[in-house]
Short mmCIF file of all heavy atoms in Angstrom, two decimals:
data_model
loop_
_atom_site.label_atom_id
_atom_site.label_comp_id
_atom_site.label_asym_id
_atom_site.label_seq_id
_atom_site.Cartn_x
_atom_site.Cartn_y
_atom_site.Cartn_z
N SER A 1 107.85 94.20 111.86
CA SER A 1 107.47 95.40 111.29
C SER A 1 108.49 95.97 110.34
O SER A 1 109.63 95.68 110.47
CB SER A 1 107.21 96.47 112.45
OG SER A 1 108.45 96.79 113.14
N LEU A 2 108.07 96.75 109.30
CA LEU A 2 108.90 97.25 108.40
C LEU A 2 109.20 98.77 108.69
O LEU A 2 108.30 99.51 109.13
CB LEU A 2 108.30 97.22 106.91
CG LEU A 2 108.08 95.75 106.42
CD1 LEU A 2 107.44 95.90 105.12
CD2 LEU A 2 109.33 95.09 106.33
N LYS A 3 110.44 99.19 108.45
CA LYS A 3 110.74 100.60 108.53
C LYS A 3 110.86 101.16 106.99
O LYS A 3 111.25 100.42 106.16
CB LYS A 3 112.08 100.78 109.26
CG LYS A 3 111.99 100.34 110.72
CD LYS A 3 113.20 100.56 111.43
CE LYS A 3 113.07 100.11 112.85
NZ LYS A 3 114.26 99.98 113.58
N PRO A 4 110.52 102.37 106.86
CA PRO A 4 110.66 103.00 105.54
C PRO A 4 112.04 102.73 105.02
O PRO A 4 112.97 102.99 105.71
CB PRO A 4 110.25 104.45 105.75
CG PRO A 4 109.54 104.51 107.02
CD PRO A 4 110.09 103.46 107.83
N GLY A 5 112.04 102.29 103.81
CA GLY A 5 113.40 102.10 103.15
C GLY A 5 113.33 102.05 101.72
O GLY A 5 112.23 102.21 101.15
N GLN A 6 114.38 101.82 101.07
CA GLN A 6 114.51 101.89 99.54
C GLN A 6 114.22 100.42 99.06
O GLN A 6 114.65 99.49 99.51
CB GLN A 6 115.77 102.34 99.19
CG GLN A 6 115.94 102.52 97.67
CD GLN A 6 117.20 103.39 97.37
OE1 GLN A 6 118.00 103.52 98.20
NE2 GLN A 6 117.26 103.79 96.15
N LYS A 7 113.41 100.46 97.93
CA LYS A 7 113.11 99.20 97.26
C LYS A 7 114.46 98.74 96.46
O LYS A 7 114.98 99.68 95.78
CB LYS A 7 112.06 99.41 96.36
CG LYS A 7 111.32 98.05 95.95
CD LYS A 7 110.22 98.15 94.96
CE LYS A 7 109.16 99.29 95.20
NZ LYS A 7 108.11 99.30 94.30
N VAL A 8 114.78 97.54 96.59
CA VAL A 8 116.07 97.14 95.92
C VAL A 8 115.82 95.80 95.19
O VAL A 8 114.94 95.02 95.61
CB VAL A 8 117.32 97.03 96.95
CG1 VAL A 8 117.64 98.36 97.42
CG2 VAL A 8 116.97 96.00 97.96
N ARG A 9 116.74 95.43 94.34
CA ARG A 9 116.57 94.20 93.61
C ARG A 9 118.01 93.71 93.77
O ARG A 9 119.05 94.18 93.60
CB ARG A 9 116.42 94.32 92.02
CG ARG A 9 116.44 93.08 91.37
CD ARG A 9 116.03 93.20 89.90
NE ARG A 9 114.82 93.84 89.63
CZ ARG A 9 113.59 93.38 89.77
NH1 ARG A 9 113.50 92.13 90.23
NH2 ARG A 9 112.43 94.01 89.64
N VAL A 10 118.01 92.31 94.07
CA VAL A 10 119.25 91.58 94.32
C VAL A 10 119.79 91.26 92.88
O VAL A 10 119.14 90.67 92.07
CB VAL A 10 119.03 90.26 95.07
CG1 VAL A 10 120.35 89.52 95.31
CG2 VAL A 10 118.40 90.53 96.47
N VAL A 11 121.06 91.67 92.66
CA VAL A 11 121.61 91.55 91.33
C VAL A 11 122.75 90.50 91.28
O VAL A 11 123.24 90.01 90.28
CB VAL A 11 122.18 92.74 90.70
CG1 VAL A 11 120.94 93.73 90.47
CG2 VAL A 11 123.12 93.53 91.65
N HIS A 12 123.19 90.06 92.53
CA HIS A 12 124.29 89.08 92.62
C HIS A 12 124.08 88.21 93.80
O HIS A 12 123.42 88.48 94.77
CB HIS A 12 125.68 89.76 92.85
CG HIS A 12 126.14 90.73 91.82
ND1 HIS A 12 126.54 90.32 90.57
CD2 HIS A 12 126.10 92.05 91.79
CE1 HIS A 12 126.79 91.34 89.79
NE2 HIS A 12 126.63 92.50 90.59
N GLY A 13 124.45 86.91 93.64
CA GLY A 13 124.33 85.95 94.75
C GLY A 13 123.15 84.99 94.60
O GLY A 13 122.49 85.06 93.51
N PRO A 14 122.94 84.23 95.71
CA PRO A 14 121.85 83.17 95.45
C PRO A 14 120.41 83.70 95.42
O PRO A 14 119.47 82.97 95.12
CB PRO A 14 122.12 82.28 96.70
CG PRO A 14 122.92 83.14 97.66
CD PRO A 14 123.64 84.04 96.89
N LEU A 15 120.33 84.93 95.90
CA LEU A 15 118.91 85.51 95.86
C LEU A 15 118.70 86.46 94.61
O LEU A 15 117.65 87.25 94.54
CB LEU A 15 118.73 86.28 97.14
CG LEU A 15 118.72 85.60 98.33
CD1 LEU A 15 118.44 86.48 99.57
CD2 LEU A 15 117.97 84.27 98.34
N GLU A 16 119.50 86.34 93.69
CA GLU A 16 119.45 87.18 92.46
C GLU A 16 117.96 87.08 91.86
O GLU A 16 117.35 86.09 91.65
CB GLU A 16 120.39 86.69 91.38
CG GLU A 16 120.54 87.60 90.08
CD GLU A 16 121.60 87.16 89.14
OE1 GLU A 16 122.53 86.51 89.52
OE2 GLU A 16 121.47 87.56 88.00
N GLY A 17 117.49 88.39 91.53
CA GLY A 17 116.17 88.39 91.00
C GLY A 17 115.08 88.89 92.01
O GLY A 17 113.99 89.32 91.56
N ILE A 18 115.32 88.71 93.24
CA ILE A 18 114.31 89.08 94.28
C ILE A 18 114.31 90.53 94.48
O ILE A 18 115.33 91.18 94.56
CB ILE A 18 114.58 88.36 95.63
CG1 ILE A 18 114.39 86.82 95.48
CG2 ILE A 18 113.74 88.86 96.69
CD1 ILE A 18 114.69 86.11 96.74
N THR A 19 113.16 91.14 94.60
CA THR A 19 112.92 92.49 95.00
C THR A 19 112.45 92.56 96.36
O THR A 19 111.62 91.82 96.79
CB THR A 19 111.98 93.18 93.96
OG1 THR A 19 112.41 93.00 92.58
CG2 THR A 19 111.71 94.65 94.26
N GLY A 20 113.03 93.57 97.15
CA GLY A 20 112.53 93.77 98.50
C GLY A 20 112.90 95.17 99.00
O GLY A 20 113.21 95.95 98.21
N GLU A 21 112.76 95.34 100.14
CA GLU A 21 113.06 96.57 100.86
C GLU A 21 114.37 96.48 101.62
O GLU A 21 114.59 95.51 102.38
CB GLU A 21 112.00 97.08 101.75
CG GLU A 21 112.06 98.39 102.43
CD GLU A 21 110.95 98.91 103.13
OE1 GLU A 21 109.84 98.45 102.80
OE2 GLU A 21 111.11 99.56 104.12
N LEU A 22 115.21 97.55 101.41
CA LEU A 22 116.49 97.46 102.12
C LEU A 22 116.37 98.23 103.49
O LEU A 22 115.72 99.21 103.53
CB LEU A 22 117.56 98.19 101.34
CG LEU A 22 118.96 98.15 101.85
CD1 LEU A 22 119.49 96.77 101.87
CD2 LEU A 22 119.87 99.07 101.02
N THR A 23 116.87 97.55 104.51
CA THR A 23 116.74 98.19 105.87
C THR A 23 118.01 97.81 106.60
O THR A 23 118.80 96.93 106.22
CB THR A 23 115.43 97.75 106.61
OG1 THR A 23 115.29 98.54 107.85
CG2 THR A 23 115.43 96.32 106.93
N GLN A 24 118.26 98.42 107.81
CA GLN A 24 119.26 98.04 108.65
C GLN A 24 118.73 97.48 109.98
O GLN A 24 117.94 98.09 110.56
CB GLN A 24 120.19 99.32 108.97
CG GLN A 24 121.29 99.46 107.99
CD GLN A 24 122.43 100.21 108.58
OE1 GLN A 24 122.31 101.04 109.37
NE2 GLN A 24 123.60 99.96 108.08
N ILE A 25 119.32 96.32 110.30
CA ILE A 25 118.91 95.72 111.63
C ILE A 25 120.36 95.30 112.29
O ILE A 25 121.10 94.64 111.80
CB ILE A 25 118.13 94.35 111.35
CG1 ILE A 25 116.86 94.70 110.60
CG2 ILE A 25 117.88 93.64 112.66
CD1 ILE A 25 116.13 93.44 110.20
N LYS A 26 120.49 95.86 113.48
CA LYS A 26 121.59 95.67 114.31
C LYS A 26 122.93 96.03 113.35
O LYS A 26 123.90 95.17 113.43
CB LYS A 26 121.71 94.29 114.80
CG LYS A 26 120.63 93.95 115.67
CD LYS A 26 120.70 92.51 116.27
CE LYS A 26 119.59 92.15 117.22
NZ LYS A 26 119.57 90.77 117.70
N ASN A 27 122.84 97.15 112.83
CA ASN A 27 124.01 97.67 112.03
C ASN A 27 124.40 96.71 110.83
O ASN A 27 125.56 96.67 110.35
CB ASN A 27 125.21 97.90 112.93
CG ASN A 27 125.11 99.06 113.75
OD1 ASN A 27 124.40 100.00 113.51
ND2 ASN A 27 125.63 98.94 114.98
N GLN A 28 123.46 95.92 110.44
CA GLN A 28 123.60 95.15 109.16
C GLN A 28 122.52 95.37 108.19
O GLN A 28 121.46 95.64 108.47
CB GLN A 28 123.52 93.54 109.53
CG GLN A 28 124.69 92.99 110.37
CD GLN A 28 124.58 91.54 110.53
OE1 GLN A 28 123.48 90.99 110.67
NE2 GLN A 28 125.71 90.87 110.65
N ASN A 29 123.10 95.37 106.93
CA ASN A 29 122.16 95.69 105.74
C ASN A 29 121.33 94.42 105.53
O ASN A 29 121.89 93.28 105.45
CB ASN A 29 122.88 96.09 104.54
CG ASN A 29 123.57 97.44 104.68
OD1 ASN A 29 123.01 98.38 105.24
ND2 ASN A 29 124.80 97.54 104.27
N CYS A 30 120.04 94.53 105.48
CA CYS A 30 119.10 93.43 105.32
C CYS A 30 118.10 93.75 104.17
O CYS A 30 117.65 94.87 103.97
CB CYS A 30 118.36 93.18 106.62
SG CYS A 30 119.41 92.59 107.89
N LEU A 31 117.79 92.61 103.43
CA LEU A 31 116.74 92.70 102.44
C LEU A 31 115.44 92.19 103.13
O LEU A 31 115.51 91.13 103.70
CB LEU A 31 117.07 91.78 101.28
CG LEU A 31 116.02 91.67 100.19
CD1 LEU A 31 115.89 92.92 99.36
CD2 LEU A 31 116.26 90.43 99.26
N VAL A 32 114.41 92.87 103.02
CA VAL A 32 113.19 92.44 103.64
C VAL A 32 112.13 92.09 102.71
O VAL A 32 111.90 92.95 101.73
CB VAL A 32 112.62 93.60 104.54
CG1 VAL A 32 111.20 93.23 105.08
CG2 VAL A 32 113.58 94.03 105.67
N VAL A 33 111.58 90.95 102.71
CA VAL A 33 110.60 90.43 101.89
C VAL A 33 109.35 90.17 102.72
O VAL A 33 109.38 89.57 103.76
CB VAL A 33 111.00 89.13 101.11
CG1 VAL A 33 109.80 88.57 100.33
CG2 VAL A 33 112.15 89.46 100.16
N SER A 34 108.20 90.74 102.15
CA SER A 34 106.96 90.66 103.09
C SER A 34 106.00 89.70 102.41
O SER A 34 105.82 89.62 101.13
CB SER A 34 106.29 92.10 103.15
OG SER A 34 107.25 92.87 103.84
N VAL A 35 105.14 89.02 103.32
CA VAL A 35 103.96 88.32 102.89
C VAL A 35 102.72 89.05 103.38
O VAL A 35 102.44 89.16 104.51
CB VAL A 35 103.97 86.82 103.49
CG1 VAL A 35 102.68 86.06 103.03
CG2 VAL A 35 105.21 86.12 103.00
N GLN A 36 102.11 89.85 102.45
CA GLN A 36 101.18 90.72 102.84
C GLN A 36 99.88 90.13 103.52
O GLN A 36 99.29 90.65 104.41
CB GLN A 36 100.61 91.63 101.56
CG GLN A 36 101.77 92.45 100.94
CD GLN A 36 102.32 93.33 101.86
OE1 GLN A 36 101.61 94.07 102.69
NE2 GLN A 36 103.70 93.64 101.92
N MET A 37 99.57 88.89 103.02
CA MET A 37 98.39 88.20 103.58
C MET A 37 98.49 88.05 105.13
O MET A 37 97.44 88.08 105.84
CB MET A 37 98.24 86.81 102.89
CG MET A 37 97.08 86.04 103.26
SD MET A 37 95.49 86.82 103.18
CE MET A 37 95.44 87.29 101.49
N ILE A 38 99.61 87.62 105.55
CA ILE A 38 99.77 87.40 107.10
C ILE A 38 100.47 88.60 107.77
O ILE A 38 100.70 88.47 109.02
CB ILE A 38 100.47 86.12 107.28
CG1 ILE A 38 101.88 86.05 106.84
CG2 ILE A 38 99.64 84.89 106.82
CD1 ILE A 38 102.69 84.83 107.18
N MET A 39 100.71 89.64 107.06
CA MET A 39 101.38 90.83 107.57
C MET A 39 102.61 90.45 108.31
O MET A 39 102.91 90.86 109.53
CB MET A 39 100.34 91.58 108.50
CG MET A 39 99.28 92.15 107.72
SD MET A 39 98.15 93.20 108.73
CE MET A 39 97.33 91.97 109.82
N ARG A 40 103.48 89.67 107.72
CA ARG A 40 104.75 89.22 108.32
C ARG A 40 105.83 89.44 107.32
O ARG A 40 105.50 89.47 106.06
CB ARG A 40 104.72 87.83 108.71
CG ARG A 40 103.74 87.55 109.85
CD ARG A 40 104.23 87.92 111.15
NE ARG A 40 103.16 87.78 112.12
CZ ARG A 40 103.23 86.73 113.05
NH1 ARG A 40 104.11 85.87 113.05
NH2 ARG A 40 102.22 86.62 113.97
N SER A 41 106.98 89.59 107.78
CA SER A 41 108.20 89.81 106.83
C SER A 41 109.27 88.86 107.32
O SER A 41 109.35 88.50 108.46
CB SER A 41 108.59 91.22 106.82
OG SER A 41 107.42 92.09 106.40
N VAL A 42 110.25 88.77 106.40
CA VAL A 42 111.52 88.09 106.76
C VAL A 42 112.64 89.00 106.22
O VAL A 42 112.53 89.62 105.18
CB VAL A 42 111.50 86.65 106.10
CG1 VAL A 42 111.48 86.73 104.59
CG2 VAL A 42 112.80 85.94 106.48
N ALA A 43 113.72 89.00 107.01
CA ALA A 43 114.89 89.82 106.58
C ALA A 43 116.08 88.82 106.39
O ALA A 43 116.25 87.90 107.24
CB ALA A 43 115.15 90.83 107.67
N VAL A 44 116.88 89.01 105.40
CA VAL A 44 118.08 88.32 105.26
C VAL A 44 119.17 89.31 105.03
O VAL A 44 119.14 90.30 104.37
CB VAL A 44 117.91 87.38 104.01
CG1 VAL A 44 117.59 88.13 102.70
CG2 VAL A 44 119.00 86.48 103.83
N THR A 45 120.35 88.99 105.73
CA THR A 45 121.53 89.89 105.67
C THR A 45 122.09 89.85 104.24
O THR A 45 122.21 88.85 103.66
CB THR A 45 122.53 89.27 106.66
OG1 THR A 45 121.97 89.12 107.96
CG2 THR A 45 123.75 90.27 106.67
N MET A 46 122.36 91.11 103.75
CA MET A 46 122.89 91.25 102.35
C MET A 46 124.07 92.17 102.49
O MET A 46 124.21 93.13 103.28
CB MET A 46 121.80 91.92 101.49
CG MET A 46 120.59 91.16 101.28
SD MET A 46 120.64 89.58 100.46
CE MET A 46 121.32 90.05 98.88
N GLU A 47 124.95 92.03 101.52
CA GLU A 47 126.02 92.97 101.34
C GLU A 47 125.50 93.93 100.31
O GLU A 47 124.79 93.63 99.26
CB GLU A 47 127.28 92.25 100.86
CG GLU A 47 127.91 91.21 101.66
CD GLU A 47 128.44 91.93 102.97
OE1 GLU A 47 128.93 93.02 102.92
OE2 GLU A 47 128.35 91.26 104.13
N MET A 48 125.99 95.17 100.34
CA MET A 48 125.62 96.28 99.52
C MET A 48 125.93 96.02 98.07
O MET A 48 125.12 96.37 97.20
CB MET A 48 126.13 97.69 99.95
CG MET A 48 125.51 98.12 101.21
SD MET A 48 123.63 98.29 101.29
CE MET A 48 123.48 99.47 100.00
#
């Protein structure tokens, strides 16, 4: 599930160019990318 958050774009690192939602999971900042068709998401740890 997604929590309301800010839409962000990765500007540095191996995921540069991806747009997703920023959220916090276990006190870590994560980029969330969703696949709407299956109503699932994936989160990857990101530095601000």
